Amino acid sequence: MGDTKASLDIKEFPDSEVHQTRVLTLKEWQDKWVTGNTTFHQEKGNQLLKKHLETFLNGQSGLRVFFPLCGKAVEMKWFADRGHNVVGVEISELGIREFFKEQNLSYSEEQLAEIPGATVFKSSSGNISLYCCSIFDLPRANIGQFDRIWDRGALVAINPDDRKRYTDIILSLLRKGFRYLLAVLSYDPTKHAGPPFYVADAEIRKLFGTKCSISCLEKVDAFEERHKHWGIDYIFEKLYLLTEK
């Protein structure tokens, strides 16, 4: 059934006003981790990433891979195990500690002089570094640029009014020859205010189109029983590949 629904055109809401004034504070995101309200976490990883992994990596090794708003994404270990260098940013210290615990990884932690109150957690192997701070503060840490970015649960979690700021940071982190995989969710935003926030195809092209070539690799039916509580009756996950223009 999923394949049939995914083959249908998805109605776009390019000028949805519903989400424009919606704001979640960093404290509210941190509270989600404290209360265990993290249904956005995928214990088995993202299936679309698995399917398009070779397209994403493009046969290259030793890549620097960035995970914005990483949570405790299991994919970070996937890439590290393949010999890539992983850097993530996450506001929840609890989420970061849970990642290392659940992946059975030892780590060290260090205060960041450049960002008061921020900490970087580094795996003992040295190829996973997770920064506990706001992504909007991250540029002060001078983390360098990346070959790959996996953006799932990041752009869709950013308050709509902050998307341009977010995009500017992401674009500044991209190295020549980059590949940026972006997963977004499509549903009727007049029925659910988010997060995750609805991001229209036109919005993606507006945000990234001047510097990136953009192609939609796939769209799949992502509807689960829990989505009924959002007041929606459909939701699709769309995977975009952004490359250097």
Side-chain angles (χ1 to χ4, degrees):
M1 185 179 77
D3 290 343
T4 303
K5 291 181 74 174
S7 67
L8 301 175
D9 287 335
I10 302 170
K11 182 179 178 182
E12 290 282 326
F13 297 82
D15 298 309
S16 173
E17 296 296 321
V18 180
H19 292 181
Q20 293 310 310
T21 57
R22 186 87 164 99
V23 174
L24 249 73
T25 65
L26 295 180
K27 174 70 164 57
E28 287 175 287
W29 281 112
Q30 289 169 319
D31 287 347
K32 285 179 181 290
W33 284 97
V34 172
T35 60
N37 184 18
T38 55
T39 54
F40 48 79
H41 175 67
Q42 295 180 322
E43 290 185 6
K44 296 181 179 179
N46 184 270
Q47 297 307 304
L48 283 180
L49 175 60
K50 286 183 181 179
K51 181 175 179 180
H52 296 277
L53 189 59
E54 294 313 314
T55 297
F56 184 47
L57 295 177
N58 197 31
Q60 295 179 271
S61 58
L63 298 168
R64 294 196 81 219
V65 185
F66 181 59
F67 280 67
L69 282 59
C70 61
K72 56 179 181 179
V74 299
E75 297 93 332
M76 293 190 287
K77 179 113 178 349
W78 294 359
F79 287 111
D81 286 347
R82 284 172 168 255
H84 304 295
N85 194 286
V86 173
V87 175
V89 61
E90 169 58 47
I91 194 61
S92 170
E93 181 177 316
L94 181 59
I96 291 175
R97 291 189 186 277
E98 285 184 8
F99 167 76
F100 285 109
K101 181 180 179 181
E102 292 173 10
Q103 300 302 326
N104 295 311
L105 296 172
S106 57
Y107 63 93
S108 61
E109 51 190 282
E110 179 186 337
Q111 299 297 308
L112 286 174
E114 304 94 332
I115 308 172
T119 306
V120 59
F121 295 77
K122 296 183 178 180
S123 64
S124 298
S125 60
N127 61 349
I128 301 177
S129 299
L130 305 184
Y131 289 77
C132 186
C133 63
S134 164
I135 192 167
F136 297 115
D137 291 329
L138 190 63
R140 285 189 272 159
N142 298 314
I143 60 171
Q145 292 184 308
F146 296 87
D147 306 291
R148 302 290 186 270
I149 294 182
W150 167 233
D151 186 326
R152 183 254 159 200
L155 178 62
V156 298
I158 295 292
N159 293 325
D161 279 351
D162 289 329
R163 282 178 187 159
K164 179 64 168 62
R165 273 206 304 158
Y166 172 82
T167 302
D168 287 345
I169 289 173
I170 291 295
L171 290 173
S172 75
L173 295 176
L174 293 169
R175 183 180 280 173
K176 188 172 178 61
F178 69 84
R179 290 193 170 214
Y180 171 22
L181 268 188
L182 169 65
V184 300
L185 296 170
S186 290
Y187 58 86
D188 184 343
T190 66
K191 295 182 177 180
H192 177 62
F197 296 112
Y198 171 81
V199 185
D201 182 86
E203 176 85 351
I204 293 170
R205 296 181 189 283
K206 177 183 173 184
L207 290 169
F208 296 100
T210 56
K211 294 192 176 179
C212 302
S213 295
I214 302 168
S215 61
C216 182
L217 297 181
E218 192 168 354
K219 54 187 178 184
V220 295
D221 181 8
F223 192 81
E224 299 174 4
E225 187 69 23
R226 65 187 177 93
H227 293 130
K228 290 181 179 178
H229 299 297
W230 296 6
I232 61 175
D233 53 15
Y234 72 87
I235 185 167
F236 293 90
E237 185 172 29
K238 298 172 74 173
L239 185 70
Y240 290 85
L241 175 65
L242 285 66
T243 54
E244 194 171 7
K245 208 164 194 176

